[in-house]
Amino acid sequence: MENYDPQAIEEKWQRVWKDERAFEVPNPDPGELERHSQKTYVLEMLPYPSGDLHMGHVRNYMLGEVVAHFRRRHGFAVMRPMGFDAFGLPAENAAIQEGQNPREVTPRNIAAIRSQMERMGWAIDWNRVLATHEPTYYRWTQWLFLRFFEKGLAYRKEAPVKWCPNDQTVLANEQVVDGRCERCGAEVEARNLEQWFFKITDYADVLLEEMSLLEEWPERVLTMQRNWIGRSQGADVLFRVEGFAEEIEVFTTRPDTLFGATFFVLAPEHPLVPRLVEGTDHETEVLDYVRHTGARSAVEREQKEKDGVFTGRYVLNPVNDERIPIWIADYVLMEYGTGAIMAVPAHDERDYTFAERYGLEIRKVVEPADGSASQQGPFSAHTENERLVNSGEFSGSSAPEGGRAIVERLAAQGLARTAIRYRLRDWLLSRQRYWGAPIPIVYCDECGIVPVPDEELPVLLPEVTEYLPKGRSPLAAAEDWVRTTCPKCGREARRETDTMDTFVDSSWYFLRYADAHNDHGPFDRELVDYWLPVNQYIGGVEHAILHLLYARFFVKVMNDLGMIGFREPFARLFTQGMLYRDGAKMSKSKGNAISPNEYVERHGADAARMYLLFIGPVEQDAEWQDNGFEGIVRFLNRLWRIVLEQGEKPIVEPLPDTPLARQAHRTIAKVTDDIGRRFALNTPIAAVMELVNEIHRHPDDPAARFAAETAVSLVQPYASHIAEELWERLGHERLWEQPWPKADASLLERETVEVVVQVNGRIRDRLHVAPDLPDQELVALARASDRVRSFLDGAEARRTVVVPGKLVNFVT
Ligand SMILES: [Zn+2]
Ligand SMILES: [Zn+2]
């Protein structure tokens, strides 16, 4: 028998698929959209071309691969495109590491990844490929920016921003994780800079409310977004500063604890601070503290022991005119709330720590309603089961009711109002980096900020020789490019030299695929409305509050602008686990990445494709193991042998009702349910392996050939090349287009039991048979088992013990 030769087979079928454009799906003609209702859009997050793919990536793309094949064979027109997130820090830093211009390195990296993907044999519609650094793409990124600008959703302002000293650029809040740069891990610094922002805060409520449309998203991702948006309900309360005309507003979620406010804290950056202490004994100490804070990083501020200084000034508590000392402390941040808080140490952990340290009064104002002792520590849960104490006329009311009453009374005096605040901040999109889409804006001394007219797009990224980050955009050095004329008045003007955050590029790429070659607009609405929302989106959970939030925002704005007909981009989201090796997440930087190249070279793409899904449930992290991979290689060889053996037999029709026929149908049912409903992609492989083992044990079962064909058909989404080759050798054609097999319900209904087969009392095999199978047939089946035969070794059984539905024992 001919040996399994993955190299030859894979090359052959990849050529066929390419020549036949097997996985390209044409757009329906206008007016025909109705007829093409059976469509599905499967999409994995597009990769950064920052180097070769490693096995971790291969695992991710296998998810979409299986779903795409599965749906195609269920009769859907499947769109599964691919692109490259080619602008931005990942690609640029990869180029800088090589000491080369990203303009040259990026296309090379894209070509390398694409050829790896092609070598994996993935069913991708390459006709729709895009790369975000190409002018044909970023022209429309710029065009969209201008639509946002017209609506006041893109604006420029000076603001305190997060600065990565390593990457030499500002970062969006979403790109700062625990005070560190999401890309490089450097501690971020604070700076005041004029920057461009998207007004995502206008959509804070909508982004929350419309999560109700995301029934098929993982709860974990929704929770992360909810927390990031951070809607909290409470009250704005005004505190008068004693001896000053000013009032300071604070936001509190716990107005019920107003009587427990025993001190007041301003952020060191609060604009009122210098005036409060001017000419007083406290001036030197306070201003020193403010200066020291300025030198501290955000991380330090979060993590160090809470400290602060007294200003010598007081505010008056609006509920009872009590004098409350004003402190300056850097645990209060200017960018959240108003930069001022009323401190209630009895019921807030941070205030409590601070009060303990400086000996400030701690006054309990909430306690359990049933009079039981308060919980240990400074907390209360703000529930109906708690009541107010030490709160004047409000004492005795339940905590929520008391809070409402306090706000009502203050509101009548103009000192408070109920308020909703969000943690979410506007999306900072400027980057002081070379490798990004230029922001299409011109600054004119006469006209101010002037958008570049649509017909002048794209604003091409100039070629520069100095592309390294220096703290100001390298584009500023391209003087001929910067100098331009004002589109409005024609006078000399300057171009914006910052580039856009790469997350802008990826906030709409999934729309472009629907109409990838359009050169008169970003896309035709009709086509986008036809293909979108994405039916199955696949990507890492690390994008929960980055790409996944931004893309939702973009789609909502575009829907509000009448550009598209839906509110959410991704109907169903799947977040896959990570691939580990030697106990650490597989990555190039950790030095534990395995390239698919050498493995594919040796054992073929099918083995890698299959192993990476076999390794464990796709939503969980998994550990790469060479011996596991070898196991799959052995399985493919066995599949090859067994199917070719069966291929020499005639097809028996109608299908006889044998144990193997039933197992084949059960396998169909299981694999179909696992992939289609449960998104369990590892268990189908085990089920097919079991089926193949059964064929091996019962090669003469009249349904063996049918079972072999079934195994080939079911394994096709995983090991597409070998499946196609075997299918052809079985005398059929084009398995990738064949209808997915259907389980015969009448065969499924029949229950089976497991019967143990022993030789001289030792278990040698297990059979799955109908519970009412006559003893005679059961013994015949048991005797036919290869394994049993090898143990009998030609000897005749002296005695045969049968326990119906349980056991057959041959005694020699
Ligand atoms: Zn960084
Ligand atoms: Zn002008």
Side-chain angles (χ1 to χ4, degrees):
M1 184 184 294
E2 200 183 322
N3 278 333
Y4 169 44
D5 177 0
Q7 297 306 332
I9 290 172
E10 293 179 0
E11 199 195 317
K12 166 182 166 186
W13 288 105
Q14 285 168 14
R15 194 164 357 95
V16 170
W17 295 328
K18 196 169 185 174
D19 290 349
E20 297 205 14
R21 312 175 80 154
F23 306 119
E24 293 180 15
V25 56
N27 279 333
D29 294 329
E32 294 225 308
L33 297 173
E34 290 301 312
R35 283 207 302 122
H36 290 252
S37 56
Q38 282 277 85
K39 63 93 199 168
T40 200
Y41 184 0
V42 179
L43 184 64
E44 294 112 325
M45 290 178 188
L46 80 179
Y48 300 125
S50 52
D52 286 0
L53 295 184
H54 61 62
M55 287 293 192
H57 303 116
V58 174
R59 186 176 189 225
N60 297 353
Y61 295 114
M62 275 311 295
L63 271 60
E65 174 75 1
V66 169
V67 175
H69 278 301
F70 184 77
R71 297 223 173 143
R72 179 175 300 100
R73 292 184 55 198
H74 275 84
F76 289 88
V78 174
M79 173 161 81
R80 187 208 182 197
M82 186 56 71
F84 299 92
D85 204 356
F87 264 152
L89 291 185
E92 185 174 10
N93 286 346
I96 289 170
Q97 256 169 24
E98 286 186 44
Q100 296 196 40
N101 196 316
R103 211 176 255 286
E104 284 139 31
V105 175
T106 304
R108 210 159 64 217
N109 279 341
I110 288 176
I113 294 176
R114 177 165 172 175
S115 90
Q116 281 184 304
M117 288 180 163
E118 286 175 335
R119 182 60 192 86
M120 293 309 298
W122 284 329
I124 289 167
D125 182 348
W126 286 110
N127 185 39
R128 296 172 188 267
V129 66
L130 60 81
T132 57
H133 75 297
E134 287 167 351
T136 48
Y137 182 84
Y138 73 73
R139 171 183 179 186
W140 302 112
T141 308
Q142 293 174 335
W143 185 91
L144 285 166
F145 171 89
L146 293 174
R147 303 291 84 77
F148 279 57
F149 175 77
E150 286 162 5
K151 290 286 164 188
L153 291 168
Y155 66 93
R156 184 175 153 90
K157 74 164 182 200
E158 187 182 285
V161 295
K162 308 275 197 314
W163 177 267
C164 174
N166 183 41
D167 286 318
Q168 292 278 302
T169 183
V170 297
L171 302 170
N173 284 331
E174 288 79 7
Q175 287 160 326
V176 179
V177 179
D178 297 332
R180 293 173 184 279
C181 168
E182 174 242 356
R183 292 301 320 166
C184 72
E187 273 191 19
V188 300
E189 298 167 359
R191 285 202 179 180
N192 255 335
L193 285 175
E194 284 248 327
Q195 299 287 287
W196 283 94
F197 293 85
F198 281 129
K199 214 167 180 192
I200 191 172
T201 52
D202 269 13
Y203 281 74
D205 247 336
V206 177
L207 285 164
L208 278 176
E209 274 165 24
E210 293 182 354
M211 281 187 196
S212 62
L213 303 172
L214 303 177
E215 283 169 20
E216 294 186 277
W217 276 41
E219 191 49 47
R220 177 161 70 134
V221 173
L222 296 178
T223 303
M224 285 169 81
Q225 289 204 357
R226 212 175 278 125
N227 292 342
W228 182 255
I229 295 168
R231 181 184 197 272
S232 47
Q233 187 137 17
D236 287 333
V237 182
L238 287 177
F239 285 72
R240 203 147 48 76
V241 185
E242 191 184 54
F244 284 77
E246 270 84 3
E247 289 168 329
I248 305 176
E249 191 176 66
V250 304
F251 172 75
T252 174
T253 57
R254 297 293 305 272
D256 57 319
T257 62
L258 259 159
F259 283 88
T262 55
F263 59 100
F264 196 87
V265 187
L266 294 180
E269 300 86 354
H270 198 287
L272 201 57
V273 172
R275 278 191 45 219
L276 285 181
V277 293
E278 200 177 345
T280 72
D281 295 350
H282 296 270
E283 184 170 17
T284 318
E285 198 193 356
V286 167
L287 296 184
D288 273 355
Y289 181 80
V290 170
R291 247 192 313 280
H292 277 117
T293 298
R296 280 174 183 147
S297 71
V299 179
E300 261 183 287
R301 267 175 88 159
E302 274 298 304
Q303 291 172 353
K304 74 179 177 57
E305 208 183 331
K306 286 168 188 47
D307 59 20
V309 285
F310 178 46
T311 60
R313 298 289 183 187
Y314 294 83
V315 289
L316 299 176
N317 190 332
V319 290
N320 56 8
D321 280 339
E322 189 179 1
R323 293 175 82 221
I324 301 179
I326 304 177
W327 286 68
I328 311 292
D330 65 3
Y331 75 93
V332 174
L333 302 174
M334 201 57 216
E335 65 246 50
Y336 289 116
T338 58
I341 63 157
M342 65 173 210
V344 184
H347 304 290
D348 179 276
E349 188 180 10
R350 298 195 309 171
D351 299 346
Y352 180 80
T353 316
F354 193 84
E356 286 269 271
R357 175 164 182 173
Y358 292 102
L360 299 165
E361 187 190 347
I362 297 170
R363 186 193 304 154
K364 190 171 78 169
V365 290
V366 179
E367 67 174 21
D370 60 8
S372 65
S374 307
Q375 266 176 281
Q376 192 62 30
F379 315 110
S380 72
H382 196 213
T383 66
E384 291 291 341
N385 297 329
E386 291 172 313
R387 68 176 176 214
L388 302 190
V389 293
N390 300 323
S391 297
E393 63 195 272
F394 302 98
S395 294
S397 7
S398 78
E401 187 43 53
R404 272 192 293 274
I406 289 172
V407 174
E408 262 169 44
R409 203 191 73 188
L410 291 179
Q413 299 166 284
L415 294 173
R417 57 167 182 265
T418 56
I420 291 164
R421 297 261 173 160
Y422 298 91
R423 185 169 178 269
L424 184 69
R425 291 288 167 269
D426 279 339
W427 170 9
L428 171 50
L429 71 103
S430 313
R431 293 293 176 272
Q432 291 71 46
R433 296 283 298 227
Y434 173 61
W435 195 233
I439 297 173
I441 288 288
V442 162
Y443 300 103
C444 167
D445 288 340
E446 292 295 314
C447 316
I449 296 177
V450 183
V452 173
D454 288 356
E455 56 277 14
E456 288 176 26
L457 299 181
V459 175
L460 288 171
L461 183 65
E463 292 192 30
V464 299
T465 45
E466 280 300 317
Y467 50 84
L468 292 177
K470 291 204 176 58
R472 78 173 188 153
S473 175
L475 270 58
E479 282 167 25
D480 289 347
W481 179 84
V482 174
R483 211 177 310 119
T484 183
T485 51
C486 170
K488 245 188 198 164
C489 70
R491 288 198 185 80
E492 191 168 305
R494 303 171 326 278
R495 288 192 188 280
E496 167 67 62
T497 56
D498 285 351
T499 52
M500 290 192 222
D501 180 5
T502 181
F503 282 103
V504 182
D505 308 325
S506 58
S507 287
W508 75 281
Y509 78 103
F510 44 88
L511 303 167
R512 179 71 177 175
Y513 284 137
D515 196 10
H517 305 288
N518 196 328
D519 59 5
H520 58 266
F523 46 73
D524 263 7
R525 174 172 173 166
E526 228 187 339
L527 289 170
V528 165
D529 283 354
Y530 167 70
W531 282 112
L532 279 273
V534 175
N535 297 84
Q536 178 66 64
Y537 199 36
I538 297 161
V541 74
E542 68 273 17
H543 286 289
I545 55 157
L546 288 157
H547 164 61
L548 289 169
L549 187 65
Y550 296 148
R552 293 185 62 217
F553 165 59
F554 256 58
V555 159
K556 288 176 198 313
V557 172
M558 292 162 91
N559 177 267
D560 287 343
L561 296 179
M563 295 165 63
I564 55 178
F566 46 93
R567 296 292 292 170
E568 288 287 344
F570 315 119
R572 189 177 189 207
L573 172 69
F574 188 86
T575 51
Q576 79 277 353
M578 306 267 196
L579 186 62
Y580 280 65
R581 186 184 177 214
D582 306 329
K585 185 190 150 194
M586 192 177 280
S587 78
K588 213 163 114 184
S589 59
K590 289 210 182 69
N592 65 347
I594 306 178
S595 161
N597 302 5
E598 51 178 306
Y599 284 79
V600 169
E601 188 88 9
R602 245 185 311 145
H603 299 292
D606 280 342
R609 293 168 53 114
M610 203 161 178
Y611 172 61
L612 286 161
L613 291 179
F614 184 63
I615 198 165
V618 278
E619 67 276 16
Q620 290 173 20
D621 297 340
E623 172 91 24
W624 172 276
Q625 274 164 340
D626 271 337
N627 55 4
F629 179 83
E630 300 297 335
I632 292 290
V633 172
R634 280 195 302 277
F635 168 72
L636 290 173
N637 277 287
R638 162 186 282 202
L639 177 74
W640 176 263
R641 261 191 339 266
I642 289 175
V643 172
L644 288 189
E645 260 166 38
Q646 292 300 331
E648 288 163 9
K649 297 182 191 163
I651 299 171
V652 183
E653 277 187 317
L655 182 64
D657 182 1
T658 71
L660 205 45
R662 272 181 237 131
Q663 174 147 2
H665 276 280
R666 272 199 309 276
T667 308
I668 294 171
K670 177 171 174 54
V671 172
T672 307
D673 187 58
D674 282 357
I675 300 177
R677 192 179 60 81
R678 298 175 50 226
F679 212 88
L681 304 188
N682 57 326
T683 44
I685 300 174
V688 172
M689 286 174 164
E690 254 179 67
L691 180 61
V692 172
N693 287 343
E694 279 304 298
I695 303 168
H696 178 63
R697 277 183 215 137
H698 310 292
D700 299 326
D701 185 304
R705 165 153 184 161
F706 167 77
E709 296 205 349
T710 300
V712 170
S713 179
L714 295 177
V715 91
Q716 181 269 341
Y718 295 86
S720 302
H721 310 86
I722 188 175
E724 207 57 55
E725 180 67 21
L726 288 171
W727 192 249
E728 188 180 70
R729 288 173 186 238
L730 287 166
H732 312 302
E733 278 188 318
R734 305 169 76 88
L735 178 53
W736 74 87
E737 289 177 340
Q738 293 309 304
W740 190 254
K742 274 202 168 60
D744 180 340
S746 70
L747 286 174
L748 290 180
E749 278 159 17
R750 296 200 48 181
E751 239 184 280
T752 61
V753 290
E754 188 182 83
V755 171
V756 168
V757 185
Q758 299 177 331
V759 177
N760 295 326
R762 303 189 58 180
I763 299 178
R764 297 307 181 190
D765 203 356
R766 295 165 196 276
L767 301 175
H768 295 269
V769 301
D772 53 354
L773 191 69
D775 287 5
Q776 224 180 348
E777 284 182 41
L778 183 59
V779 171
L781 266 178
R783 212 188 292 276
S785 150
D786 281 348
R787 304 188 49 200
V788 170
R789 258 199 314 225
S790 73
F791 283 103
L792 286 174
D793 200 20
E796 263 310 300
R798 242 183 337 111
R799 201 155 56 87
T800 304
V801 184
V802 180
V803 183
K806 287 227 168 67
L807 170 139
V808 178
N809 185 14
F810 297 107
V811 184
T812 59

